[in-house]
Amino acid sequence: MRTELLEPRLCFSDLKPPQADFRSEVIEGLRRPRKTLSPKFFYDPEGCRLFEAICDLPEYYLTRTEIAILTEHADSIAQTLGRGGTLIELGSGNSRKVRLLLEALKPDVYMPVDIAGQHLLAASRELAVDHPWLNIHAACLDYSRHFELPFLPEGQRKTVFFPGSSIGNFEPAEAEILLRGIARCVQPDGGLLIGFDLKKDAAVLQAAYNDSAGVTAQFNLNLLRCINAGAAANFDLGRFRHHAFFNEPKGRIEMHLRSESHQRVVVAGETFEFLDGESIHTENSYKYGIEEFRTLARHAGFEPGRCWRDRNGLFCVHYFGV
Ligand code: AVJ
């Protein structure tokens, strides 16, 4: 691990898994009878840029709604979480949401965690400039693999902030494992503030992942560019198509990349065959009912606390204690 002190109050730890792991995970997914690629691979610098464009789309209500909830309820959220302590954010991206809570929460340490290193570093630097009183310890790592954070101070209350419905990327069984890791991390007196997308009309969900400007399609296709660059592959982006739909029985949006023809693609020296119409499953975005989510969190060792919603019942920000 490499840890650098960049400024008196900003420290950066690089725990990103090696390139070899990326390649073997890609290959393993493509060897399956139903080809799959993990959504965590979306976030190269171009993927980060496209994701931020998605967040501003009229159809993509999630980000806007969560920001409205955090803005409106910052004070009661701060009361519930308590001031001070360490605030750990998973999938912190541009750290735009935590900014809405920092003044009310006044944590001693903010630890943004993200897989996109460059983006994380840039966001942390900006945050350090805007909040000179705040200690920032950024950690670039893949939180879906292991949940061991560097240099967590002992004896300080820890809260994990996990916004954006990123939990939706995990199969319920995997989500429970991740939440259990978080619960262990924040014990004995910490908690979890998590944002998740609520079940709703399928047409609204479907539109959010099939925007009219085609940004989500670009975001999805950019994954192939990431694989080309990082796993020595030769995917032809013109021969795959974005496909997203709500899988009602499973309660999730599925994103796929559909092969437009019968073709072969070489990835790290191995040849993969795609039938005409065959797809690569690139993302799940699970949607939950509030009770359904509480049950999941209880199974992971959490006790439900307060929750905040928007007026239209689109999105939920929920606090859980351990
Ligand atoms: C960042 C995983 C919450 O699932 O809504 C947005 C990613 N994919 N549009 C989501 C995403 C397509 C997003 N998460």
Side-chain angles (χ1 to χ4, degrees), residues 53-86:
I54 286 175
C55 292
D56 292 331
L57 291 169
E59 295 97 333
Y60 196 76
Y61 60 86
L62 288 83
T63 311
R64 181 179 333 116
T65 309
E66 188 176 36
I67 284 177
I69 295 169
L70 295 173
T71 306
E72 185 174 344
H73 301 289
D75 288 335
S76 64
I77 290 172
Q79 250 174 37
T80 304
L81 270 62
R83 290 174 142 243
T86 300

Side-chain angles (χ1 to χ4, degrees), residues 264-285:
R264 283 182 183 82
V265 178
V266 179
V267 185
E270 185 167 334
T271 302
F272 294 91
E273 189 173 339
F274 290 83
L275 303 176
D276 187 8
E278 184 179 352
S279 81
I280 314 174
H281 189 172
T282 55
E283 186 168 49
N284 285 322
S285 286

Side-chain angles (χ1 to χ4, degrees), residues 22-302:
F22 168 66
R23 287 192 182 199
S24 50
E25 218 179 315
V26 165
I27 297 271
E28 188 273 320
L30 293 176
R31 278 182 188 156
R32 292 191 203 173
R34 294 185 177 198
K35 296 181 174 66
T36 160
L37 290 169
S38 169
K40 70 190 175 199
F41 300 140
F42 278 130
Y43 302 95
D44 73 334
E46 177 65 1
C48 291
R49 191 192 66 77
L50 286 166
F51 179 66
E52 284 181 11
I54 286 175
C55 292
D56 292 331
L57 291 169
E59 295 97 333
Y60 196 76
Y61 60 86
L62 288 83
T63 311
R64 181 179 333 116
T65 309
E66 188 176 36
I67 284 177
I69 295 169
L70 295 173
T71 306
E72 185 174 344
H73 301 289
D75 288 335
S76 64
I77 290 172
Q79 250 174 37
T80 304
L81 270 62
R83 290 174 142 243
T86 300
L87 183 67
I88 301 152
E89 180 175 3
L90 301 182
S92 53
N94 58 13
S95 282
R96 182 173 163 199
K97 290 166 187 169
V98 82
R99 283 172 178 264
L100 306 168
L101 301 177
L102 283 178
E103 291 302 325
L105 279 178
K106 285 270 187 273
D108 299 314
V109 180
Y110 169 58
M111 183 180 275
V113 174
D114 207 286
I115 196 163
Q118 280 186 43
H119 206 58
L120 172 65
L121 188 54
S124 304
R125 283 207 156 104
E126 280 179 37
L127 203 68
V129 170
D130 297 341
H131 302 275
W133 53 269
L134 182 64
N135 292 298
I136 303 173
H137 187 159
C140 176
L141 58 84
D142 174 3
Y143 61 74
S144 72
R145 284 163 55 112
H146 58 117
F147 202 80
E148 240 124 90
L149 300 176
F151 313 122
L152 272 182
E154 287 286 318
Q156 266 220 49
R157 196 170 35 79
K158 296 179 268 291
T159 305
V160 166
F161 179 40
F162 194 15
S165 202
S166 296
I167 191 69
N169 274 169
F170 296 82
E171 302 273 352
E174 246 87 72
E176 195 183 309
I177 292 169
L178 174 61
L179 292 183
R180 200 171 294 134
I182 296 172
R184 200 181 323 112
C185 164
V186 302
Q187 241 132 31
D189 55 353
L192 165 69
L193 183 69
I194 186 164
F196 57 91
D197 197 18
L198 294 167
K199 286 209 163 98
K200 60 182 65 64
D201 184 53
V204 174
L205 288 171
Q206 229 135 247
Y209 295 84
N210 287 288
D211 63 281
S212 57
V215 182
T216 309
Q218 280 184 58
F219 174 71
N220 199 5
L221 281 162
N222 181 62
L223 179 60
L224 299 181
R225 208 176 284 132
C226 297
I227 309 295
N228 284 347
N234 65 351
F235 279 102
D236 179 349
L237 274 65
R239 294 170 79 185
F240 286 87
R241 231 187 147 79
H242 169 68
H243 178 59
F245 63 96
F246 186 54
N247 181 334
E248 191 114 41
K250 297 215 157 142
R252 70 191 191 197
I253 286 280
E254 291 185 17
M255 292 216 310
H256 296 259
L257 287 167
R258 253 197 197 151
S259 175
E260 295 265 81
S261 63
H262 180 205
Q263 55 181 318
R264 283 182 183 82
V265 178
V266 179
V267 185
E270 185 167 334
T271 302
F272 294 91
E273 189 173 339
F274 290 83
L275 303 176
D276 187 8
E278 184 179 352
S279 81
I280 314 174
H281 189 172
T282 55
E283 186 168 49
N284 285 322
S285 286
Y286 279 87
K287 311 300 171 184
Y288 288 97
I290 293 188
E291 262 321 310
E292 187 184 11
F293 194 83
R294 284 181 184 147
T295 303
L296 178 75
R298 278 200 190 92
H299 284 145
F302 281 106

